[in-house]
Amino acid sequence: MKHKPLGGRVTAVALVGLLLASCGTIEKDKRALGLQAATAAYQSALRWGYFETAYGYLHPDQRKDKSKDLPPVFTDLRVAGYEVVQPPLMQNPGEAVQVVTIDYLYEDRQVVKTITDRQTWTYDTKLDSWWLSSGIPQFQ
């Protein structure tokens, strides 16, 4: 009885293992890039007054009355500054937390206020996107 060398089998098993591991890494990197893009776009939308766009980062189930109408808190709101205090940190593969400070004012009051917003972002595998699950900042 002839014995076949194990080298080919071991190499094949090792390659399959590496491929499976790299697929997980690619998916993780894809999600991280998606999160980075979502948080940056949300920041830009708030900072430049595109509140409809910023509001669109809330999951549709969280929007009041499931409509696209903006809440009254955005009326006459102007964001003067937006600083990331803590960049997004993955809590688990489907959730990340970011902390920002936002300087804002209402045009009719002209008093600058600052709030700290602890944002929770959740990944929706069905929609393949990140949603701001912590809600809109508590502007007053």
Side-chain angles (χ1 to χ4, degrees):
M1 178 182 226
K2 287 186 177 180
H3 287 86
K4 294 183 181 178
L6 291 177
R9 291 182 191 156
V10 171
T11 302
V13 170
L15 283 175
V16 169
L18 284 173
L19 284 174
L20 290 175
S22 68
C23 288
T25 301
I26 290 170
E27 182 63 30
K28 186 176 176 183
D29 289 347
K30 180 183 166 191
R31 281 191 186 179
L33 288 173
L35 175 62
Q36 184 179 12
T39 57
Y42 176 76
Q43 172 183 350
S44 182
L46 265 186
R47 179 66 185 93
W48 297 107
Y50 299 119
F51 300 127
E52 295 88 7
T53 302
Y55 193 58
Y57 279 92
L58 288 178
H59 193 282
D61 294 341
Q62 285 186 279
R63 296 183 203 145
K64 278 192 174 185
D65 303 325
K66 311 292 187 266
S67 71
K68 292 185 179 186
D69 294 336
L70 285 176
V73 72
F74 288 115
T75 305
D76 295 327
L77 177 72
R78 177 146 328 213
V79 174
Y82 188 107
E83 181 183 350
V84 177
V85 177
Q86 174 192 305
L89 295 174
M90 292 285 207
Q91 302 296 306
N92 61 54
E95 185 178 90
V97 174
Q98 171 175 270
V99 179
V100 302
T101 56
I102 303 171
D103 298 324
Y104 69 98
L105 59 96
Y106 287 97
E107 291 181 16
D108 62 339
R109 296 181 223 152
Q110 294 296 311
V111 176
V112 177
K113 296 182 179 186
T114 302
I115 59 169
T116 300
D117 186 28
R118 185 177 190 276
Q119 301 169 351
T120 302
W121 291 82
T122 306
Y123 186 74
D124 186 332
T125 54
K126 291 178 185 171
L127 298 174
D128 191 29
S129 60
W130 286 94
W131 297 100
L132 180 61
S133 57
S134 56
I136 58 173
Q138 297 299 311
F139 300 114
Q140 297 179 9

